[in-house]
């Protein structure tokens, strides 16, 4: 990259810049340093080349390039791609972004003909096109990772079971024990959130999948180009309707950032739970050694760093999203250089979420759940309080009265330290039927409504989850 002392910058030979014609002298070093995007937009190179190939084929169809010129430019684009892959593509100080660098290198390779590559195109439509093209693949990669994690959760839910001997744990509200739930139910709760993420990715992807190529700088072109044909050749499903909108729209970036942030938030909630569950106070789960870290000072420590970073990195995702929304706010039509700030947050969010999903999948695949600790914690008799109240309701008592009867038994038990079972046995409206509900695992087996935490309901839910997941799997692989 260029540096302020670079002799190629700030001199009086500005031919390297795409826009040199209008300028008598070259750019200041500070301008080059502050405005460049090549250091981070290089990852668009393959997409830019693919879209440039579609563009030059369009120029050829419009008789703006001869067969021979087309062949030369396509060949040069292939060479640039190869040079980038093998690390031999050098950059020069005037390459302000990857698009400039590619055109500069093509022109070095084929001479003056290279100057025809940019016919009927502006970097404004070019950059939006390459960015969308890149993002389509990145969304597919993200979706594959979300599916992988959802599969891991489904497999672990399967293992946790719904039949006799199924693993159950306390369910919490306010982080206070509320009612016991099957572990399968708990894991699938995270799974459904991931399936919604896949829906959101698919919906957002439809709006990414629109080509702005042909919109030019802001108003299209006088040349006989066909944006729809170029869009199809570049692999897009649709073409822009309005050139001002096409070059300045970054809704697709904001939306993608939101969907990625939402995935990150889901990972943060799962991560927080693993942090709690692997603490000695909870003891509900033990991390596999490969997915835990040690302490540099405390020899006994086994730390849940993946889970903590899943939690922590959600902060930067929120920053990526909100920072970009602030950049977009109040921008006048059409392209403004501010829009160059779309790339770093989205690349960061894509990387963060991709790596987070992979690490969480590995961690969840290998974590060991301690079914006994979970059951011991869930079998507090107070977890059955609602079941006792519902037993009274089944006998015709209004729920408010039933609630009060059981609430009083709980209070007396806590105040007197008499076991709840004894008080229940002595309460004529409950008796042995009530005591039976206090048995280990009885409460969770007592849940029956569709979508509830009980065995039959979770069994049906598991099937529905598998069905939905396999539908999504084929949607994303098709
Ligand atoms: N690097 C720029 C970006 O990412 C390319 C567009 C520059 N367009 C312009 N008119 N200066 O947005």
């Amino acid at each position: 990259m260029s540096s302020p002392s670079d002799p190629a910058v700030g001199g009086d030979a500005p031919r390297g810049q795409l826009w040199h014609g209008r300028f008598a002298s070259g750019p200041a070093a500070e301008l080059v340093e502050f405005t460049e995007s090549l250091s981070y937009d290089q990852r668009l190179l393959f997409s830019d080349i693919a879209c440039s190939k579609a563009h030059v084929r369009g120029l050829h169809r419009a008789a703006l390039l001869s067969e021979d010129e087309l062949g030369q430019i396509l060949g040069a684009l292939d060479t640039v791609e190869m040079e980038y892959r093998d690390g031999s593509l050098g950059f020069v100080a005037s390459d302000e972004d990857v698009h400039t660098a590619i055109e500069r290198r093509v022109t070095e390779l084929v001479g003056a003909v290279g100057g025809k590559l940019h016919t009927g195109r502006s970097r404004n439509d070019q950059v939006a096109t390459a960015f969308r093209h890149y993002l389509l693949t990145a969304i597919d990669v993200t979706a594959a990772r979300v599916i992988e994690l959802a599969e891991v959760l489904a497999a672990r839910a399967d293992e946790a079971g719904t039949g006799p001997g199924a693993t159950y744990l306390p369910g919490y509200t306010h982080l206070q024990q509320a009612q016991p739930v099957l572990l399968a139910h708990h894991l699938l709760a995270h799974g459904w959130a991931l399936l919604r993420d896949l829906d959101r990715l698919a919906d957002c992807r439809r709006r990414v999948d629109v080509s702005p190529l042909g919109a030019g700088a802001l108003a299209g072109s006088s040349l006989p180009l066909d944006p729809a044909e170029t869009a199809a050749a570049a692999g897009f499903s649709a073409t822009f309707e309005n050139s001002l909108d096409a070059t300045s729209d970054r809704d697709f970036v904001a939306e993608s950032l939101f969907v990625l942030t939402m995935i990150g938030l889901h990972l943060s909630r799962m991560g927080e739970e693993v942090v709690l569950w692997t603490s000695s106070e909870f003891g509900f789960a033990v991390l596999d050694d490969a997915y835990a870290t040690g302490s540099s000072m405390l020899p006994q420590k086994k730390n849940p760093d993946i889970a903590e970073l899943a939690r922590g990195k959600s902060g930067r995702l929120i920053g990526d999203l909100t920072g970009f929304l602030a950049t977009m706010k109040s921008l006048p039509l059409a392209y403004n250089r501010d829009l160059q700030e779309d790339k770093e947050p989205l690349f960061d969010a894509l990387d963060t979420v991709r790596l987070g999903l992979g690490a969480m999948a590995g961690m969840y695949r290998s974590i060991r759940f301690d079914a006994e600790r979970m059951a011991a914690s869930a079998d507090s008799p107070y977890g059955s309080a609602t079941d006792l109240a519902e037993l009274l309701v089944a006998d015709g008592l209004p729920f408010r009265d039933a609630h009060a009867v059981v609430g009083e038994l709980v209070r007396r038990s806590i105040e007197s330290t008499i076991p709840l079972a004894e008080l229940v046995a002595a309460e004529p409206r409950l008796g042995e039927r009530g005591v039976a509900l206090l048995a280990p695992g009885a409460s969770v087996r007592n849940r029956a409504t569709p979508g509830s935490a009980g065995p039959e309901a979770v069994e049906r839910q598991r099937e529905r989850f598998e069905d939905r997941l396999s539908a999504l799997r084929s949607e994303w692989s098709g």
Side-chain angles (χ1 to χ4, degrees):
M1 287 306 311
S2 59
S3 70
S5 59
D6 193 326
V9 176
D12 57 3
R15 279 204 63 84
Q17 251 72 29
L18 294 175
W19 31 262
H20 66 87
R22 163 72 177 75
F23 288 77
S25 67
E30 299 91 318
L31 177 139
V32 172
E33 226 184 351
F34 184 58
T35 62
E36 69 84 24
S37 56
L38 180 64
S39 53
Y40 53 84
D41 68 15
Q42 282 176 46
R43 64 164 92 186
L44 298 180
L45 183 133
F46 299 113
S47 285
D48 195 62
I49 288 181
C51 297
S52 286
K53 286 180 173 174
H55 176 65
V56 291
R57 289 202 172 93
L59 294 177
H60 175 246
R61 274 193 304 274
L64 294 162
L65 281 183
S66 71
E67 189 77 31
D68 178 54
E69 289 171 328
L70 172 67
Q72 286 187 54
I73 296 179
L74 289 177
L77 287 167
D78 281 337
T79 305
V80 176
E81 185 170 323
M82 250 165 45
E83 288 178 346
Y84 187 70
R85 275 188 208 284
D86 70 23
S88 67
L89 179 67
F91 293 116
V92 303
S94 56
D95 292 341
E96 55 176 90
D97 56 25
V98 71
H99 320 287
T100 318
I102 292 168
E103 186 180 335
R104 190 257 314 148
R105 184 66 187 135
V106 165
T107 307
E108 281 170 11
L109 289 166
V110 298
V113 153
K116 296 197 175 187
L117 167 59
H118 211 54
T119 310
R121 174 173 92 170
S122 156
R123 263 183 308 157
N124 298 351
D125 58 345
Q126 182 183 3
V127 69
T129 307
F131 198 26
R132 285 170 180 267
H133 187 275
Y134 174 89
L135 183 52
L136 287 174
T137 308
I139 287 176
D140 294 346
V141 169
T142 307
R145 292 268 171 120
V146 176
I147 288 171
E148 185 198 353
L149 180 55
E151 285 170 347
V152 170
L153 290 172
R156 298 307 311 257
D158 232 10
E159 212 177 289
T162 54
T167 306
Y168 59 95
L169 73 159
Y172 296 83
T173 61
H174 313 266
L175 202 58
Q176 307 288 324
Q177 290 195 3
Q179 289 180 298
V181 297
L182 287 183
L183 177 59
H185 191 57
H186 190 109
L187 294 172
L188 289 175
H190 293 307
W192 289 108
L194 295 177
L195 299 196
R196 288 194 297 278
D197 289 329
L198 288 167
D199 277 345
R200 268 186 287 270
L201 278 172
D203 185 47
C204 162
R205 194 186 188 286
R206 284 193 302 116
R207 283 178 291 279
V208 177
D209 195 8
V210 179
S211 168
L213 198 57
L218 76 166
S221 171
S222 66
L223 299 168
L225 301 169
D226 184 347
E229 252 179 339
T230 315
F236 287 96
S237 306
T239 317
F240 69 95
E241 298 284 352
N242 177 309
S243 61
L244 289 171
D245 183 39
T247 46
S248 65
D249 164 35
R250 294 293 184 277
D251 295 3
F252 70 96
V253 179
E255 278 188 63
S256 300
L257 281 169
F258 173 73
V259 178
L260 291 165
T261 302
M262 203 65 234
I263 297 172
L265 292 193
H266 290 147
L267 297 184
S268 81
R269 297 182 72 178
M270 294 167 71
E272 166 65 2
E273 183 174 284
V274 168
V275 171
L276 287 172
W277 286 12
T278 56
S279 68
S280 36
E281 284 71 14
F282 270 81
F284 285 0
V286 179
L287 289 171
D288 186 83
D289 281 1
Y291 291 92
T293 54
S295 157
S296 59
M297 182 174 161
L298 313 171
Q300 83 283 13
K301 289 298 290 293
K302 186 166 175 183
N303 292 329
D305 288 26
I306 292 176
E308 291 171 282
L309 282 171
R311 201 172 58 180
K313 281 177 188 284
S314 62
R316 74 193 271 163
L317 292 168
I318 294 168
D320 288 333
L321 170 64
T322 54
F324 181 65
L325 290 175
T327 297
M328 285 293 288
K329 179 189 167 295
S330 310
L331 281 185
L333 290 178
Y335 179 84
N336 298 274
R337 190 63 180 264
D338 313 47
L339 293 177
Q340 179 169 289
E341 289 294 305
D342 58 358
K343 284 165 213 67
E344 283 171 293
L346 187 56
F347 291 154
D348 181 65
L350 286 167
D351 293 346
T352 301
V353 168
R354 188 187 70 252
L355 296 173
L357 285 165
M360 291 289 275
M363 189 185 72
Y364 267 89
R365 196 178 280 121
S366 56
I367 199 169
R368 198 168 53 71
F369 297 114
D370 189 331
E372 274 162 34
R373 275 292 285 265
M374 287 179 169
S377 200
D379 284 332
S380 143
Y382 304 125
S384 300
T386 311
D387 301 279
L388 295 173
E390 285 173 359
L391 188 61
L392 296 174
V393 166
D395 289 344
L397 209 60
F399 180 72
R400 267 307 134 228
D401 299 334
H403 186 286
V405 169
V406 179
E408 198 185 313
L409 293 178
V410 169
R411 183 172 52 77
R412 277 172 48 208
S413 167
I414 291 170
E415 283 173 3
S416 65
T417 70
I418 301 173
L420 185 65
E422 249 173 64
L423 298 176
V424 167
E427 163 56 56
R429 286 169 291 186
L430 290 167
E432 284 315 309
R433 289 183 314 156
V435 173
L437 286 172
L438 304 182
S443 173
V444 76
R445 285 193 297 273
N446 202 32
R447 309 266 149 267
T449 45
S452 72
E456 291 83 22
V458 174
E459 189 50 38
R460 283 193 297 277
Q461 179 197 160
R462 226 179 40 75
E463 285 158 16
R464 295 169 70 88
F465 188 85
E466 293 287 355
D467 287 351
R468 184 77 192 109
L469 182 56
S470 66
L472 283 162
R473 204 184 289 120
S474 45
E475 227 175 84
W476 281 99
S477 63

